[in-house]
């Protein structure tokens, strides 16, 4: 340990840069695994070869038509969920907050059920806009209700409003499911959360929203640090609290809405990844957000690959793998590390 | 009543002389009771009884209250006896008991975790019960009236124990318990989804109905075990509320106040889990009740933590009222009772939320 705070600061910074590069490398490895592994295993060299030049071979078709779309989607969704989780936990100062909190999953689920039951939609491409609209409308309502006071949204009112509206929508959803077995039959496969069966079009439909969400998140990071000192301090430092909240919530809505629309509600990433990232970086959101994003990518891709491998030639859905494999890890983390207080 | 009701005065010991509280003395025992809380409790009791009576009288075959009274005292026609004793009474009793159990479980959990968002779900009860019940339905092992409730109870017990053991690390910390409960809940939710994907559609529908929570077709077979469980658990919970009064402070303070912390925590968690498990085994998870009612009771009664008795009665009132409404709204069809609890509860909670934030900011 060095005694000068300046040096300590610099070494902490170097550690974080190294950590970030390490994570980036890990994400690249995860991408290669996602392209190479599955019912049929491809050698990394072969993956690389067909990636550079598609040649019409089986391997090329496998990579470009089946595995590339879900890998692209996995990267986008992992980034979105990891960053959104960190933003939500930062804004609500609630360490158990996850994207479900703002009513995003409940809103998207309800919209998908309506799409199936009322409009007879039964393809992923068809759900996307319903799910996205449901997620966005619900988050706007939750945010509007939770910010009813003149002070704008406080963490607790936001969380309570999300929970209340989420519970209402959940029961609407299940009343439709209970009375309509045909709807249940389609919905139960959407609600587990999966990257499978999506084509590149699906990915391109949501990526613009995720990109805008990431930009907003990056812009929100310094303000979030100031807000962490308490709203009064933030105000005294010249921070516009309502503006910071609106930007943050807009980013969260875009990120989680797009991710849920594309893949169904994938739990756990938004809850676990920020904790892990915080253990690596500390509470500075300028570092926390990129760490959480990359960790999200690694988590989603590895879970998807594992789901393809454990039950070959069938597969276990990404959302289920994340829940079953991520939870023990999370429990280990909670027991072992003294989680950084928000 | 011989209780002497006296307004607290400056002569009371400092800890009891709280504004708005009334000290009740029965012989040597005295307790400071918030007057508002007593009023709310009484109104909730009257409301629950009134709705229960309406619920027993209402239906395709309406029965007047005097006729119901006749049946209860041993008279009435054969058809009236059958409808009241075998169909409506078990259902109404089930609703009352489930509501009370869920609400008290929620109040205990929220106080223990010092988090208004905590509900018995974080103790693994709901998700564990769901896995048990869905497995019983989908894998087809369970038969008879007791099969699914027993499987649910087993699932709840196993997951609650697992969460408690995992959260134990030289003691139980409410915060760590909530986090681990969430983690285990995710695994269990994943298993439930996986079972639902594997099931054929008929079983998946049955399982979904159970997961949604329902009071339709409840029989004495559901009421008896639930009533027996509550007869033991509710008095224990009331007794534990003494411990809770101390647990609401940070742990250090509680320890300094001389509470035997570990055993009190174990007792409170076990009671909350057992109450929720008994309710969920009988009617499926009517989740909104445990989360909402303690918060409503807290805001109605004032104070710093959800009051148990008022929560129990408000919970009973909510569920019996919701069940009645569920039968009326789209009669002759029925809505799931959970939809009604949410539709009644959500606007009210939001109104409270808005009113409170306006007041604190205005």
């Amino acid at each position: 340990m060095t005694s000068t705070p300046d040096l300590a600061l610099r070494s902490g910074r170097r550690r974080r840069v190294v950590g970030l590069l390490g994570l980036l490398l890990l994400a690249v490895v995860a991408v290669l695994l996602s392209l190479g592994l599955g019912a049929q295993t491809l050698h990394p060299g072969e993956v690389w070869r067909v990636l550079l030049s598609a040649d019409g071979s089986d391997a090329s078709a496998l990579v470009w038509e089946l595995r590339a779309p879900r890998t692209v989607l996995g990267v986008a969704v992992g980034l979105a969920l990891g960053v959104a989780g960190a933003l939500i936990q930062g804004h609500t100062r609630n360490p158990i907050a996850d994207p479900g909190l703002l009513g995003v999953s409940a809103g998207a689920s309800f919209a998908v059920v309506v799409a199936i039951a009322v409009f007879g939609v039964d393809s992923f491409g068809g759900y996307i806009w319903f799910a996205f609209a449901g997620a966005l409308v619900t988050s706007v309502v939750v945010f509007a209700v939770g910010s009813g006071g003149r002070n704008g949204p406080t963490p607790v009112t936001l969380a309570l409003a999300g929970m209340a509206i989420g519970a209402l929508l959940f029961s609407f959803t299940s009343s439709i499911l209970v009375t309509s077995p045909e709807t249940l039959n389609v919905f139960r496969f959407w609600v587990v959360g999966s990257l499978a069966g999506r084509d590149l079009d699906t990915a391109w439909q949501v990526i613009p929203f995720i990109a805008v969400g990431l930009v907003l998140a990056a812009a929100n990071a310094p303000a979030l640090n100031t807000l962490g000192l308490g709203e009064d301090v933030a105000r005294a430092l010249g921070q516009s609290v309502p503006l910071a909240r609106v930007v943050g919530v807009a980013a969260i809505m875009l990120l989680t809405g797009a991710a849920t629309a594309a893949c169904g509600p994938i739990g756990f990433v938004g809850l676990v990844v920020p904790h892990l990232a915080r253990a690596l970086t500390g509470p500075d959101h300028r570092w926390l957000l990129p760490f959480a994003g990359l960790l999200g990518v690694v988590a989603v891709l590895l879970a998807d690959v594992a789901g393809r491998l454990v039950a070959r030639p069938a597969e276990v859905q990404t959302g289920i793998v994340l829940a079953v494999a991520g939870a023990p890890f999370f429990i280990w983390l909670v027991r072992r590390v003294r989680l950084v207080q928000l | 009543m011989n209780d002497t009701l006296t307004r607290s005065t400056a002569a009371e010991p400092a800890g009891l002389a709280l504004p708005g509280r009334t000290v009740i003395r029965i012989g040597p025992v005295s307790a400071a009771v918030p007057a508002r809380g007593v009023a709310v409790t009484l109104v909730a009791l009257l409301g629950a009884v009134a709705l229960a009576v309406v619920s027993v009288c209402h239906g395709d075959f309406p029965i007047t209250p005097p006729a119901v009274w006749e049946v209860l005292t041993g008279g009435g026609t054969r058809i009236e006896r059958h409808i009241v004793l075998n169909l409506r009474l078990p259902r109404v009793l089930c609703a009352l008991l489930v509501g009370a159990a869920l609400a008290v479980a929620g109040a205990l959990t929220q106080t223990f975790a010092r988090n208004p968002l905590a509900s018995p779900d974080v103790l693994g009860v709901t998700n564990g019960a769901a896995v048990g019940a869905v497995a019983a339905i989908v894998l087809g092992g369970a038969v008879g009236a007791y099969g699914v409730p027993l499987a649910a109870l087993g699932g709840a017990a196993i997951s609650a124990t697992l969460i408690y053991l995992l959260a134990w690390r030289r003691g139980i910390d409410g915060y760590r318990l909530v986090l681990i409960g969430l983690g285990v809940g995710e695994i269990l939710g994943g298993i439930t989804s996986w079972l639902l994907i594997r099931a054929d559609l008929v079983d998946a529908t049955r399982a979904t109905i159970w997961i949604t929570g329902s009071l339709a077709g409840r029989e004495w077979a559901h009421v008896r075990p639930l009533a027996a469980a509550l007869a033991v658990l509710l008095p224990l919970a009331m007794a534990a509320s003494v411990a809770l009064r101390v647990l609401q402070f940070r742990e250090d303070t509680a320890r300094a106040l001389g509470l035997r912390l570990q055993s009190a925590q174990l007792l409170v968690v076990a009671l909350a889990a057992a109450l929720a498990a008994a309710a969920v085994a009988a009617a499926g998870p009517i989740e909104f009740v445990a989360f909402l009612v303690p918060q409503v009771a807290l805001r109605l009664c004032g104070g710093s933590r959800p009051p148990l008795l008022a929560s129990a009665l408000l919970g009973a009132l909510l569920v019996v009222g919701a069940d009645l409404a569920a039968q009326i709204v789209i009669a002759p069809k029925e809505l799931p009772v959970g939809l009604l609890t949410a539709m009644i509860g959500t606007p009210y909670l939001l109104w409270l939320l808005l009113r409170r934030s306006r007041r604190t900011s205005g």
Side-chain angles (χ1 to χ4, degrees), chain B residues 9-73:
Chain B
T9 64
E12 294 292 336
L16 295 179
L18 299 167
R21 281 177 180 250
T22 306
V23 177
I24 295 182
R25 263 198 209 87
I26 307 169
V29 185
S30 70
V33 179
R36 241 171 96 193
V38 174
V40 170
T41 309
L42 285 176
V43 171
L45 177 65
L46 286 177
V49 170
L51 279 178
V53 171
V54 174
S55 195
V56 172
C57 296
H58 171 85
D60 290 340
F61 186 98
I63 302 175
T64 61
V68 170
W69 180 250
E70 221 170 276
V71 168
L72 290 180
T73 50

Side-chain angles (χ1 to χ4, degrees), chain B residues 29 68 70 73 79 113 169 254 259 283 291 324:
Chain B
V29 185
V68 170
E70 221 170 276
T73 50
I79 183 140
R169 199 178 159 223
L259 183 79
F291 158 62
L324 182 62

Side-chain angles (χ1 to χ4, degrees), chain B residues 46-239:
Chain B
L46 286 177
V49 170
L51 279 178
V53 171
V54 174
S55 195
V56 172
C57 296
H58 171 85
D60 290 340
F61 186 98
I63 302 175
T64 61
V68 170
W69 180 250
E70 221 170 276
V71 168
L72 290 180
T73 50
T77 64
R78 242 185 95 214
I79 183 140
E80 280 173 353
R81 290 188 66 77
H82 173 69
I83 289 176
V84 171
L85 294 179
N86 295 344
L87 300 180
R88 292 189 194 161
L89 204 54
R91 179 173 186 159
V92 169
L93 286 176
C94 207
L96 290 168
L97 295 175
V98 162
L102 285 175
V104 172
L108 291 174
T109 317
Q110 288 173 1
T111 310
F112 174 81
R114 288 187 297 266
N115 187 340
L117 304 181
S119 71
D121 312 340
V122 304
L123 298 181
V125 173
T126 321
N127 287 318
V131 169
V134 172
I137 293 169
V138 169
L139 305 177
V143 281
Y146 288 108
V148 174
L150 272 182
L153 209 54
I158 292 170
S159 59
T161 312
L162 184 69
I163 287 172
Y164 192 83
L165 289 178
L166 285 172
W168 177 272
R169 199 178 159 223
R170 276 174 280 135
I172 284 291
D173 169 47
Y175 173 63
R176 188 166 60 230
L177 186 75
V178 169
L179 285 175
I180 291 203
L182 271 168
V184 173
E186 292 278 348
I187 308 183
L188 297 170
I191 297 174
T192 305
S193 309
W194 181 70
L195 284 169
L196 280 179
I197 289 184
R198 288 180 28 136
D200 67 54
L201 194 51
V202 175
D203 283 345
T205 308
R206 270 184 71 204
T208 306
I209 291 174
W210 192 89
I211 293 177
T212 311
S214 172
L215 286 162
R218 296 303 109 152
E219 308 161 2
W220 288 105
H222 296 97
V223 177
R224 272 193 221 101
L226 182 60
L230 292 203
V232 178
L233 295 172
L234 279 181
L236 279 177
M238 300 298 166

